[in-house]
Amino acid sequence: MSAQLDGIGMTSRRTRMRLIQRLQEAGIRDTKVLDAILKTPRHIFLDEALSHRAYEDSSLPIGHGQTLSQPYIVARMTEILMQSKPSRVLELGTGSGYQTAILAQLVEQVFSVERIAPLQAKARERLRQLSLHNVSLRLAGRTMGWPEAGPYDAILVTAAPARIPDELPLQLAEGGTMIIPVGESSQMLTRVVRRGDDFVTTVLEPVRFVPLLEGVVR
Ligand code: SAH
C-alpha cells in the first residue's frame, strides 16, 4: 500500500473536511493541529475491515485490546501540548502510531514508547510510509517512559495510570508540560507543568483511555 501525507485520493476531501468541521464545533482552534489532522490518512492506522470508519469522531479497536483514540481527544491533547511550543516530545503508548504521526508534523523530534511489540512494528511501518523520519520508537514497559532520551519539553500519555507515576514528570524539562489521563473507572485528563521542583497540576476534563500497564508483550 502506498500512502502519503495529504494523499487525499482514497477518501474524499469532503469526508475529511466534515471531521475537521466537527472538531472545530467541539472547540478545537489550533489551525496547525487541524491541518495536520486533515493531511493525515487515518485509515492507514486501522485494519482494512475498519478503515471505512476512519474519519468518524470515534475511538476504534487496533487489536491486542487497545484502541486508536478518538480524533477529538487527539486534537485536544495536541492543542494543549502545543501551547508551550515544545520541540522534543515524549509519547507514552504508540499504539497505532496515529497520534505519533500528528505530533511528528508539529514538533522537531518525537520519542514514542510502546509495550506491545506487534503494535509497535505496524506503527513503525506506517510512519515509514508517511516519510515521518523525526520519530524514535522504543519497546518498553517496565520503566515508565524513556528517561535516557530526556528531558522533554512535553510528554503526552495515551494510556491511563491509576495515579501519576513519579518517574514521568521528572522527565520534563524546566517549564515542560505533561498531558496524562489519570484514574481507573473514571478518568480525568490532567496537565502537569514543571516549575523547578514544583509540579503544577490542573485537572482538565473527563476522558476514557485503556490502562497504562507494566511489562513488554512480544
Ligand atoms: N496513541 C495511540 C493510542 C493507543 S492506546 C494511538 O493513537 O493509536 C494506548 C497504548 O498504550 C496501547 O498501545 C498500549 O499498549 C500502550 N501502553 C500501555 N501501557 C504502556 C506503558 N507502560 N508503556 C508504553 N506503552 C504502554
Side-chain angles (χ1 to χ4, degrees):
M1 188 189 356
S2 78
Q4 61 189 80
L5 291 167
D6 216 8
I8 296 193
M10 244 182 90
T11 341
S12 73
R13 175 168 277 274
R14 219 191 313 149
T15 311
R16 291 201 200 181
M17 279 310 296
R18 217 177 295 136
L19 173 61
I20 299 302
Q21 255 163 27
R22 256 195 87 115
L23 297 178
Q24 284 173 319
E25 282 161 18
I28 306 298
R29 291 284 169 267
D30 187 322
T31 51
K32 285 188 186 151
V33 172
L34 290 168
D35 193 51
I37 291 176
L38 178 65
K39 286 201 302 212
T40 306
R42 192 167 181 257
H43 59 269
I44 72 160
F45 293 86
L46 292 160
D47 287 339
E48 213 143 274
L50 280 172
S51 60
H52 67 286
R53 298 188 54 194
Y55 302 93
E56 290 176 13
D57 188 21
S58 48
S59 61
L60 293 164
I62 54 173
H64 305 270
Q66 306 306 316
T67 53
L68 167 51
S69 306
Q70 179 194 357
Y72 167 74
I73 284 295
V74 172
R76 180 86 181 108
M77 290 174 88
T78 312
E79 183 174 72
I80 297 168
L81 217 68
M82 291 307 293
Q83 285 167 0
S84 61
K85 301 189 172 45
S87 81
R88 301 176 87 251
V89 176
L90 170 69
E91 176 190 30
L92 206 55
T94 316
S96 68
Y98 177 73
Q99 170 78 71
T100 324
I102 300 292
L103 285 172
Q105 294 168 69
L106 297 167
V107 306
E108 235 160 80
Q109 188 71 39
V110 182
F111 300 82
S112 185
V113 183
E114 173 56 52
R115 62 183 283 273
I116 302 179
L119 289 181
Q120 188 202 40
K122 281 192 196 173
R124 189 185 297 285
E125 173 56 21
R126 291 164 180 145
L127 295 165
R128 196 194 56 77
Q129 274 180 40
L130 297 176
S131 304
L132 293 169
H133 301 303
N134 57 338
V135 177
S136 310
L137 299 181
R138 183 198 202 190
L139 188 70
R142 227 157 290 136
T143 57
M144 291 289 178
W146 193 343
E148 302 83 354
Y152 306 96
D153 304 316
I155 301 178
L156 195 158
V157 185
T158 68
R163 50 177 288 277
I164 299 177
D166 293 338
E167 312 90 305
L168 272 184
L170 291 173
Q171 292 167 52
L172 281 174
E174 172 58 27
T177 301
M178 173 165 80
I179 305 292
I180 182 168
V182 185
E184 284 170 301
S185 55
S186 80
Q187 303 166 0
M188 293 302 275
L189 195 61
T190 305
R191 179 179 57 206
V192 179
V193 179
R194 179 166 200 168
R195 302 263 176 244
D197 290 334
D198 282 341
F199 295 92
V200 183
T201 302
T202 314
V203 174
L204 300 171
E205 60 194 70
V207 283
R208 249 205 109 57
F209 278 86
V210 294
L212 191 74
L213 300 171
E214 295 236 6
V216 167
V217 178
R218 299 215 178 250

